[in-house]
Amino acid sequence: MSPLLGPISEDLPLDAVTTGILGMLPTAGFAAMGFLALPLIRRMQPEHLLLASILMTTLGQVGRALGWTTSVFLAFTWIAMLGMGVVNVVIPPLLMKYFPDKTGLLPALHVTLLAVSTAVAAQAAIPLAGLYGWRFSIGIWAAISAAAAVPWLMVLAARGTAAQARKPPCSEVPAPRTSVIKPWRSPIGWGTALIFAGCSSNTFAAITWLPVVLVDRGMSPETAGFMLALYSILGLPVGLVVPLAVVRMPRPLPIAVLFVVTFAVGYGGILFAPITSASVWVAIAGLGQGAYSFAFTMINRRARTQTGSGALSGFAQGVGYTLASLGPFLFGLLHQPGDHWLPSFSMLGGWLMVFAVGALMINRPRVLEDALPAGAVRR
């Protein structure tokens, strides 16, 4: 949506505060569902929860494309982000459930598809808006969300048929209660949360504000949209490589430090280098998105069971995205004419330090279930 802020503003008033709120909505939605998803997982099968979240995302995407006021536009964007937030939390335990022996390959594929879709949407935003307007440009992606529901409907239908065929007796003994794991009592839980806070604040601030920064420095809106696509697509190579590397490293702190350096160097070039070289610095900053892949991979690297993965995923994303929502919001508020965006990028530098601290906290090769003190896991 960020390449379309200009056309959208012609129909809906979007000042710096409103734009900052838009930038906050993804992380705020992900945070809210991070806290709520774990109780929901205990009451619903994760496949049912995932399907409901996909349909919720589709509704939000259609609604905001039709939004006739700024408030309605924000409300339906919030609904879409809540749906996506559930997907974020449920994916790691589902990967643990269906593919326990592929903790590197499947997270790599997951993050790779995120990078591809983000880049395609950013690159196509302006051309699609030129054809049929900005509402079509942001609403067309609801078709992809709706398509994502189809295979899960097939999975659930097949499971329902199999369950009917088994016809379990009425006297069947109920399953034992699932262990309650409390990740907030472990440094692994807090470290993973800080990793999500640090990487997400940087990633979502860039996705929201990068075109605005580049246009302010003299770039055309079309080229700035291409720069956002370039930034996004570079999540593809690192998304493929990082999970495969992390699963082979008992202590993956050096990988985390590398992402801090690439973000920092890229930001410096975007701020101070000639605008003609912007593609170089955007590309270097884009490689820092590997931090997001690192965060998702570490959930299943620091949990042994599906229950542990779900607990760590919900807590880390709930706390992490709550903190990260400040990044996109403060980025716009800290900017004043003539300051060259230096205060805004300095704030992101602080979040990079948060990311580094979190990576240090979970660097030791141990898992959540073993790291909790006595009494933190109740059966």
Side-chain angles (χ1 to χ4, degrees):
M1 188 177 63
S2 53
L4 298 171
L5 289 177
I8 293 173
S9 298
E10 296 176 4
D11 292 333
L12 304 174
L14 296 177
D15 55 17
V17 173
T18 307
T19 304
I21 292 173
L22 280 171
M24 284 180 64
L25 288 180
T27 51
F30 299 168
M33 299 317 297
F35 289 120
L36 294 175
L38 186 55
L40 290 173
I41 289 174
R42 293 187 185 135
R43 292 166 174 80
M44 300 173 59
Q45 294 185 19
E47 293 86 351
H48 290 155
L49 188 56
L50 181 62
L51 179 60
S53 67
I54 291 172
L55 298 177
M56 190 176 182
T57 302
T58 305
L59 172 64
Q61 289 176 310
V62 172
R64 75 171 184 167
L66 300 175
W68 52 93
T69 67
T70 303
S71 298
V72 173
F73 182 83
L74 291 173
F76 276 103
T77 300
W78 172 243
I79 290 172
M81 296 304 110
L82 290 173
M84 293 179 188
V86 180
V87 175
N88 280 344
V89 175
V90 174
I91 285 294
L94 279 176
L95 291 180
M96 180 74 78
K97 177 179 180 178
Y98 286 101
F99 308 101
D101 57 338
K102 294 182 173 62
T103 56
L105 178 61
L106 267 298
L109 178 60
H110 168 61
V111 178
T112 298
L113 291 176
L114 285 177
V116 171
S117 58
T118 304
V120 170
Q123 181 63 28
I126 295 294
L128 288 174
L131 290 175
Y132 301 109
W134 67 265
R135 295 182 186 275
F136 173 81
S137 182
I138 66 170
I140 189 63
W141 307 106
I144 307 297
S145 297
V150 174
W152 288 105
L153 285 169
M154 297 169 63
V155 168
L156 292 174
R159 287 179 56 179
T161 302
Q164 288 181 359
R166 286 196 299 268
K167 294 182 179 179
C170 296
S171 59
E172 184 177 349
V173 177
R177 185 178 180 182
T178 304
S179 300
V180 177
I181 297 176
K182 301 175 181 178
W184 54 89
R185 296 190 178 184
S186 168
I188 291 177
W190 287 105
T192 309
L194 293 181
I195 286 175
F196 270 98
C199 71
S200 299
S201 57
N202 277 267
T203 299
F204 285 100
I207 290 174
T208 304
W209 289 101
L210 181 61
V212 178
V213 172
L214 295 175
V215 169
D216 186 61
R217 293 207 60 203
M219 186 175 286
S220 70
E222 292 78 10
T223 306
F226 172 77
M227 289 294 109
L228 180 59
L230 173 64
Y231 175 89
S232 301
I233 198 62
L234 284 167
L236 172 59
V238 291
L240 280 170
V241 172
V242 169
L244 300 177
V246 167
V247 297
R248 290 169 171 78
M249 296 181 65
R251 297 176 181 266
L253 182 62
I255 295 179
V257 172
L258 177 63
F259 296 136
V260 172
V261 172
T262 55
F263 265 129
V265 172
Y267 290 162
I270 291 170
L271 276 172
F272 301 114
I275 193 63
T276 53
S277 64
S279 59
V280 174
W281 308 109
V282 169
I284 293 174
L287 293 175
Q289 292 175 97
Y292 205 63
S293 179
F294 179 87
F296 270 102
T297 305
M298 291 307 297
I299 291 175
N300 284 346
R301 287 293 291 166
R302 292 298 179 254
R304 178 182 297 115
T305 62
Q306 182 186 343
T307 302
S309 175
L312 183 58
S313 179
F315 175 76
Q317 294 191 55
V319 174
Y321 285 125
T322 297
L323 297 173
S325 63
L326 296 173
F329 184 69
L330 292 177
F331 192 93
L333 290 185
L334 289 173
H335 172 62
Q336 298 295 328
D339 66 10
H340 303 291
W341 299 91
L342 183 58
S344 300
F345 280 100
S346 297
M347 180 268 298
L348 293 185
W351 284 113
L352 290 178
M353 296 300 100
V354 170
F355 172 81
V357 170
L360 182 62
M361 291 174 67
I362 66 167
N363 189 46
R364 268 178 52 191
R366 55 180 180 166
V367 294
L368 178 66
E369 292 85 345
D370 295 340
L372 289 168
V377 181
R378 177 169 54 83
R379 295 186 183 277

